Amino acid sequence: MSGDTDKSSKLPVCDLNAGPCQWEMNGKPWVAELEPGKAGAQGHEYLLRVHTRYEPDRLLAVLKGESMYLGEYPVPLNRTETKAGIHVWQATFVAPFCTTDPDMLWRLEFQQSNSALDPLPVKLIFEANGPGA
């Protein structure tokens, strides 16, 4: 388990596999959505899309193992568009998996440039399956 699970265990859980998650942070509305893509030898590909009025210079998602600790994986997001003051950030990534138990529950957190944003008021999770699943 990751070291900060105790802090996040009291937060409401939002499962990105079930659909978009919404919250307010830094005084701005946020929406995150995750679309599964094709399966490959390294695991399933995912498209993460974040919509917000918040304007960081850079936005980074950090994957942290929730069901078991497999390290932390940075996922840099690119700003793809801005419409009516809402910035859309997105990234495509493959979630790592354990060879002995390829089904993995991951948690997403966000950072701006090299510093953390305010703590998320929700626990964003998703289940990823290893290759062949």
Side-chain angles (χ1 to χ4, degrees):
M1 285 295 199
S2 60
D4 57 356
T5 300
D6 291 340
K7 287 186 267 181
S8 65
S9 66
K10 295 174 178 55
L11 296 173
V13 173
C14 188
D15 184 353
L16 287 162
N17 295 114
C21 295
Q22 300 178 38
W23 69 96
E24 188 169 302
M25 185 172 69
N26 301 103
K28 308 284 184 188
W30 293 68
V31 176
E33 55 188 344
L34 189 68
E35 295 177 24
K38 61 185 175 192
Q42 300 300 313
H44 278 84
E45 188 174 86
Y46 294 90
L47 172 63
L48 172 64
R49 196 173 290 122
V50 177
H51 309 258
T52 183
R53 290 187 182 277
Y54 188 65
E55 296 184 67
D57 293 331
R58 291 181 31 200
L59 187 60
L60 182 75
V62 180
L63 292 176
K64 296 182 176 187
E66 186 71 9
S67 57
M68 73 175 75
Y69 185 73
L70 291 179
E72 296 181 8
Y73 299 90
V75 177
L77 292 122
N78 296 308
R79 190 181 331 205
T80 59
E81 64 181 289
T82 301
K83 289 184 180 176
I86 297 176
H87 309 286
V88 180
W89 298 79
Q90 70 179 36
T92 302
F93 66 93
V94 174
F97 65 94
C98 175
T99 56
T100 59
D101 186 6
D103 296 338
M104 178 72 186
L105 191 63
W106 289 97
R107 184 174 74 247
L108 276 173
E109 294 180 0
F110 295 101
Q111 294 180 355
Q112 60 181 352
S113 298
N114 291 327
S115 62
L117 292 166
D118 287 349
L120 287 175
V122 296
K123 186 191 310 187
L124 298 177
I125 62 166
F126 70 97
E127 184 175 4
N129 305 111

